[in-house]
């Protein structure tokens, strides 16, 4: 049996050692660089889990950076309905998760008593692994 992967520590559960002992002989092949570096959007949440058209809404993204050195000048952008409505520039240290908050007032037509859904996303200045640079 051969396991091929990038061997990121975040993918390995700390309590999995006993489970591995039960498997037949296993060869682990790492396909990562020695000095892997990545920055990504870890999470995006709406404060209080709801937004309305009468008040401003706080949306908070958590941006994470892993690598040997810092990453400076990272632009974090909030988009609502595919339109950029805010951008902030942040500096990140290795192994740092940084919350980045945006305030936005939604301006959509809604029927009283019926929810409306508006797509929101956060994106970063692209790095060498662009698939996780937005959420």
């Amino acid at each position: 049996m051969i396991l091929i992967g990038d061997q990121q520590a975040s993918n390995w559960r700390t309590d999995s050692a006993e489970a591995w002992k039960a498997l037949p002989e296993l060869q682990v092949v790492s396909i990562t660089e020695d000095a892997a570096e990545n920055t990504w959007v870890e999470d995006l949440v709406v404060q209080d889990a709801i937004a309305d058209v009468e008040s401003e809404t706080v949306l908070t993204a958590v941006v994470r950076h892993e690598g040997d050195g810092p990453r400076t000048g990272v632009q974090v952008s909030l988009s609502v309905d595919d339109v950029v409505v805010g951008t902030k520039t942040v500096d990140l240290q290795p192994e740092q998760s940084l919350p980045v908050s945006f305030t936005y007032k939604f301006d959509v037509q809604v029927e009283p008593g019926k929810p409306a859904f508006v797509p929101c996303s956060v994106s970063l200045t692209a790095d060498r692994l662009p698939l996780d640079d937005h959420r």
Side-chain angles (χ1 to χ4, degrees):
M1 189 184 272
I2 299 172
L3 174 66
I4 300 172
D6 61 8
Q7 308 307 316
Q8 292 186 29
S10 61
N11 293 331
W12 293 89
R13 292 179 31 188
T14 57
D15 62 344
S16 62
E18 288 302 314
W20 287 104
K21 290 179 183 176
L23 292 174
E25 187 175 330
L26 178 71
Q27 179 181 355
V28 178
V29 178
S30 177
I31 56 169
T32 186
E33 295 179 25
D34 290 336
E37 184 170 303
N38 190 24
T39 306
W40 67 94
V41 181
E42 191 169 70
D43 200 7
L44 174 60
V45 295
V46 175
Q47 181 176 305
D48 301 326
I50 193 164
D52 63 53
V53 295
E54 297 176 4
S55 59
E56 291 187 327
T57 300
V58 177
L59 297 100
T60 302
V62 178
V63 179
R64 182 147 179 96
H65 175 68
E66 294 286 343
D68 290 334
R71 182 160 180 222
T72 60
V74 178
Q75 286 193 332
V76 183
S77 299
L78 171 67
S79 296
V80 176
D81 258 341
D82 294 323
V83 175
V84 175
V85 296
T87 300
K88 295 186 178 183
T89 303
V90 298
D91 296 330
L92 299 160
Q93 298 299 316
E95 300 183 27
Q96 179 183 17
S97 287
L98 180 69
V100 181
S101 294
F102 295 90
T103 303
Y104 181 76
K105 186 168 184 187
F106 288 91
D107 183 22
V108 295
Q109 298 296 325
V110 294
E111 288 185 45
K114 292 194 174 186
F117 298 93
V118 180
C120 300
S121 65
V122 170
S123 59
L124 305 176
T125 306
D127 61 8
R128 63 180 197 78
L129 298 171
L131 291 179
D132 59 5
D133 292 345
H134 60 88
R135 184 178 192 106

